[in-house]
């Protein structure tokens, strides 16, 4: 189940990193798998609503738990029901930028991340969770106090992963996508373009392979 904010839900007509990772797993996973989640729509910039189904590839399995402008603050209250209803084995989580930008400081955001893990495990005590740090974005480049909050939250997220990891319900912090450049990998300083989608998908794929032996490394030769 992909879980995230605007970088995960994507906009009408886009592919999204979810799509890039699905392509990769189809080629490398070596067995059946499903993408699950309670939502399917994309964000429609024209109407400012999450009600578009105009995926660049109509065959892409669209399920997710992501929302434009949503963060840990919004998703944590939903995760227990989503896990109970849709029965994911693995959560791929990319959250935090919205929280730090509008709702909570680094410590409060980390508290919500811990609560998210507890709520997910309440519905599935064996759930595996991969967490993506808050990645480079234009506000962090131009707003030093915000950049400091991002750095602090990523430190706390790493501590959360270390503290809460357990054998029956592994918790994994992925690496920030290597060489991620907001001038090359986004279309507006925050939201990934095709380059950025591949890099985010690669961060998840490489971590899943290295930590849990799921799929293979995200080689550009297969894309």
């Amino acid at each position: 189940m992909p879980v995230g904010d605007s970088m995960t839900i994507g906009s009408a007509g886009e592919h999204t990193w979810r799509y890039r990772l699905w392509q990769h797993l189809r080629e490398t996973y070596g067995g059946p798998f499903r993408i699950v989640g309670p939502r399917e729509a994309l964000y429609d910039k024209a109407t400012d609503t999450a009600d578009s189904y105009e995926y660049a590839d109509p065959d892409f399995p669209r399920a997710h738990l992501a929302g434009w402008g949503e963060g840990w603050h919004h998703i944590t209250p939903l995760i227990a029901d989503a896990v109970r209803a849709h029965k994911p084995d693995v959560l791929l989580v990319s959250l935090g930028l919205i929280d730090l930008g509008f709702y909570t400081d680094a410590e409060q955001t980390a508290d919500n991340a811990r609560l998210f893990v507890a709520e997910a495990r309440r519905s599935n005590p064996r759930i595996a969770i991969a967490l993506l740090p808050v990645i480079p974005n234009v506000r962090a480049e131009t707003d030093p106090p915000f950049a400091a909050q991002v750095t602090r939250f990523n430190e706390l997220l790493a501590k959360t992963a270390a503290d809460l990891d357990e054998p029956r319900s592994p918790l994994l912090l992925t690496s920030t996508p290597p060489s991620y450049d907001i001038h090359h990998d986004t279309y507006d300083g925050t939201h990934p373009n095709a380059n950025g989608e591949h890099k985010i998908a690669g961060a998840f794929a490489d971590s899943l392979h290295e930590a849990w032996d799921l799929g293979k490394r995200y080689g550009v030769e297969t894309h």
Side-chain angles (χ1 to χ4, degrees), residues 26-46:
R26 282 199 306 169
E27 297 167 0
T28 69
Y29 183 70
F33 70 95
R34 291 189 303 129
I35 306 294
V36 300
R39 302 176 181 174
E40 292 191 350
L42 293 162
Y43 178 73
D44 189 334
K45 295 176 184 176

Side-chain angles (χ1 to χ4, degrees), residues 45-102:
K45 295 176 184 176
T47 62
D48 193 27
T49 56
D51 62 1
S52 172
Y53 294 87
E54 295 181 14
Y55 279 82
D57 181 347
D59 294 327
F60 171 47
R62 303 177 298 197
H64 62 79
L65 176 56
W68 198 275
E70 297 187 33
W72 296 102
H73 176 76
H74 306 84
I75 299 295
T76 294
L78 308 178
I79 193 60
D81 286 344
V83 169
R84 186 178 303 111
H86 298 277
K87 304 187 186 315
D89 299 302
V90 179
L91 301 178
L92 306 176
V93 186
S94 172
L95 289 169
L97 179 61
I98 295 298
D99 305 83
L100 297 171
F102 298 99

Side-chain angles (χ1 to χ4, degrees), residues 6-11 13-23 42 55-56 60 192-194 196-198 201:
S6 56
M7 291 183 285
T8 297
I9 185 174
S11 300
E14 294 178 359
H15 280 104
T16 77
W17 68 260
R18 298 182 284 121
Y19 174 79
R20 311 296 182 183
L21 184 62
W22 170 67
Q23 281 188 311
L42 293 162
Y55 279 82
F60 171 47
N193 57 22
E197 290 168 3
H198 280 296

Side-chain angles (χ1 to χ4, degrees), residues 61-149:
R62 303 177 298 197
H64 62 79
L65 176 56
W68 198 275
E70 297 187 33
W72 296 102
H73 176 76
H74 306 84
I75 299 295
T76 294
L78 308 178
I79 193 60
D81 286 344
V83 169
R84 186 178 303 111
H86 298 277
K87 304 187 186 315
D89 299 302
V90 179
L91 301 178
L92 306 176
V93 186
S94 172
L95 289 169
L97 179 61
I98 295 298
D99 305 83
L100 297 171
F102 298 99
Y103 299 104
T104 50
D105 63 21
E107 284 73 16
Q108 293 166 330
T109 306
D111 287 344
N112 282 334
R114 285 177 173 265
L115 180 58
F116 174 100
V117 173
E119 288 292 286
R121 286 174 170 170
R122 184 161 64 86
S123 293
N124 178 1
R126 297 186 178 278
I127 194 87
I129 306 174
L131 305 168
L132 184 76
V134 175
I135 61 176
N137 62 87
V138 67
R139 181 171 173 182
E141 191 169 87
T142 59
D143 182 343
F146 178 72
Q149 284 288 293

